[in-house]
């Protein structure tokens, strides 16, 4: 949720972030800190406005519904079903604003056997198989150094939002965009899946080498590390 709206805000969208009263968003407690403020929070919430609302409170809910009436897009990343339990599910909100694009981001999507399970970045990095192909040869499965599980889902959420906006331009209809972090991460495994399907051999970590192209890797030198990336024979020459 926060990464998708960060991208949209960077592109010029007017974003209002809804936070819980008292504590605010969880990421306000993530370091590093600039004085008393979280630099982590400031980074992913740049260009946004913030509003504290208790969605279980009648007055808070009315403020929220008034925002829905005049908004183009709603992005939420609660566990599936949470918005519905509060009486704020898509079935209700689309009647309030038929042009609304309702974007849900969750670990495993709004249906399926894992839909009610919580998920964080490292969970989907592990379950997708990404960690099993990352790291030094012979090493342990390794998390990618950025929050790939969150970021890839955010990109798909933005793509889905933009496609839904384009559809709305043509039809006048909003829609529900359902993003599953695990689906998105699996789709980013690139050629690891095709290599497995063809060979039947599980891909393993190979450090900085490329599984199909040589030389396309890093080499240690006396003073530093040298990276050579040669995509074809003409570049090698």
């Amino acid at each position: 949720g926060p990464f998708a709206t960060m991208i949209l805000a960077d592109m010029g969208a007017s974003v209002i972030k809804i936070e819980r009263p008292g504590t605010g968003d969880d990421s306000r407690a993530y370091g590093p800190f600039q004085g008393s403020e979280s630099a982590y929070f400031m980074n992913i919430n740049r260009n946004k406005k913030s509003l504290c609302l208790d969605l279980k409170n009648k007055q808070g809910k009315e403020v929220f519904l008034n925002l829905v009436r005049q908004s183009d897009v709603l992005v939420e990343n609660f566990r599936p079903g949470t918005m519905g339990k509060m009486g704020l599910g898509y079935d209700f909100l689309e009647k309030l604003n038929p042009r609304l694009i309702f974007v849900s981001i969750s670990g495993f999507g709004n249906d399926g056997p894992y839909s009610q399970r919580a998920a964080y970045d490292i969970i989907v990095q592990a379950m997708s198989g990404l960690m099993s192909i990352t790291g030094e040869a012979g090493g342990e499965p390794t998390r990618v150094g950025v929050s790939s599980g969150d970021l890839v889902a955010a990109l798909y959420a933005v793509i889905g939002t933009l496609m839904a906006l384009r559809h709305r331009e043509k039809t006048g209809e909003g829609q529900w965009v359902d993003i599953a972090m695990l689906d998105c991460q699996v789709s980013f495994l690139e050629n690891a899946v095709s290599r497995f399907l063809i060979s039947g051999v599980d891909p393993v970590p190979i450090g900085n080498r490329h599984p199909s192209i040589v030389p396309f890797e890093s080499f240690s030198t006396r003073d530093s590390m040298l990276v050579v990336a040669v995509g074809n024979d003409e570049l090698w020459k």
Side-chain angles (χ1 to χ4, degrees):
F3 285 109
T5 49
M6 177 190 77
I7 296 167
L8 291 167
D10 283 349
M11 291 178 172
S14 297
V15 176
I16 300 174
K17 178 180 177 66
I18 305 297
E19 299 186 60
R20 70 173 70 86
T23 58
D25 188 271
D26 286 346
S27 63
R28 286 186 179 273
Y30 298 169
F33 293 91
Q34 176 71 36
S36 61
E37 291 193 68
S38 163
Y40 182 102
F41 177 88
M42 287 189 282
N43 177 49
I44 62 176
N45 291 291
R46 59 183 183 261
N47 298 324
K48 304 177 191 178
K49 295 179 180 179
S50 187
L51 179 65
C52 284
L53 285 180
D54 182 354
L55 296 180
K56 297 178 182 178
N57 174 284
K58 183 178 180 181
Q59 286 181 305
K61 187 176 290 188
E62 189 50 49
V63 171
F64 176 79
L65 293 176
N66 191 43
L67 287 171
V68 169
R69 290 185 183 97
Q70 54 189 305
S71 295
D72 295 300
V73 180
L74 167 67
V75 181
E76 61 94 6
N77 65 338
F78 289 115
R79 191 173 300 190
T82 301
M83 291 287 283
K85 289 176 183 176
M86 292 189 290
L88 301 172
Y90 178 66
D91 290 346
F92 172 70
L93 296 184
E94 71 163 332
K95 295 180 177 65
L96 202 65
N97 179 359
R99 293 174 57 82
L100 181 71
I101 291 148
F102 186 106
V103 183
S104 296
I105 304 173
S106 62
F108 307 101
N110 273 268
D111 54 25
Y114 283 13
S115 67
Q116 293 304 302
R117 295 192 179 193
Y120 285 95
D121 164 68
I122 193 171
I123 301 296
V124 297
Q125 284 202 33
M127 290 182 69
S128 68
L130 179 64
M131 286 175 58
S132 74
I133 57 173
T134 304
E136 289 299 320
E140 293 293 318
T142 303
R143 176 185 177 273
V144 174
V146 296
S147 299
S148 172
D150 293 328
L151 294 167
V152 172
L155 290 172
Y156 273 111
V158 171
I159 292 167
T161 298
L162 296 177
M163 292 177 70
L165 286 166
R166 176 62 177 146
H167 174 79
R168 194 183 72 177
E169 282 182 12
K170 299 173 70 174
T171 67
E173 299 174 345
Q175 60 182 291
W176 188 2
V177 179
D178 183 12
I179 301 292
M181 292 167 62
L182 181 61
D183 293 357
C184 299
Q185 195 66 84
V186 168
S187 79
F188 260 55
L189 292 181
E190 198 193 13
N191 59 51
V193 174
S194 58
R195 296 200 318 272
F196 170 73
L197 291 175
I198 290 171
S199 69
V201 178
D202 282 336
V204 295
I206 55 174
N208 290 326
R209 293 190 292 118
H210 193 284
S212 305
I213 306 170
V214 178
F216 206 95
E217 58 192 285
S218 63
F219 300 90
S220 295
T221 67
R222 183 175 61 187
D223 300 317
S224 62
M225 179 177 284
L226 172 69
V227 172
V228 179
V230 179
N232 58 56
D233 288 346
E234 288 304 309
L235 283 175
W236 176 246
K237 291 176 185 178

